[in-house]
Amino acid sequence: LITMPALTYLDLGENSLRQISTKVGNWTQLRTLILDNNDLAEIPRELCNLHHLTRLDMTNNVLRRLPGTIGSLTSLETLILRSTNL
């Protein structure tokens, strides 16, 4: 993944992704992350470094679990887990 430190919105929905790079945790200014309609079974714990994240959409994935550190996303206002295995 390329370095974009000022990135605030990222939509990777509908891409048949099976995994997300651990480098997602480097995008510390990210506020919205859309990962809907993929094939994600889990998300990397590094995603929990995104302390400015306010919206995370994981709709329609095959999630088995969330990272135990998901609670560290203290700015998170919207978490969408519709149609997952959770």
Side-chain angles (χ1 to χ4, degrees), residues 15-76:
N15 281 293
S16 300
L17 298 175
R18 291 179 183 237
Q19 65 182 15
I20 298 295
S21 171
T22 58
K23 294 186 181 197
V24 70
N26 295 335
W27 294 335
T28 57
Q29 296 305 307
L30 203 60
R31 287 176 169 40
T32 300
L33 180 57
I34 309 297
L35 295 169
D36 65 325
N37 298 302
N38 282 295
D39 294 316
L40 298 170
E42 55 189 42
I43 54 176
R45 69 174 183 256
E46 288 80 4
L47 185 134
C48 297
N49 295 335
L50 305 178
H51 299 290
H52 295 288
L53 195 68
T54 61
R55 179 181 173 91
L56 176 58
D57 186 346
M58 300 288 298
T59 300
N60 200 25
N61 276 282
V62 292
L63 293 174
R64 292 186 302 239
R65 65 181 163 268
L66 294 175
T69 53
I70 195 81
S72 66
L73 295 174
T74 56
S75 296
L76 195 64

Side-chain angles (χ1 to χ4, degrees), residues 3-19:
T3 302
M4 294 182 283
L7 186 69
T8 61
Y9 183 96
L10 181 60
D11 186 341
L12 294 173
E14 301 184 31
N15 281 293
S16 300
L17 298 175
R18 291 179 183 237
Q19 65 182 15

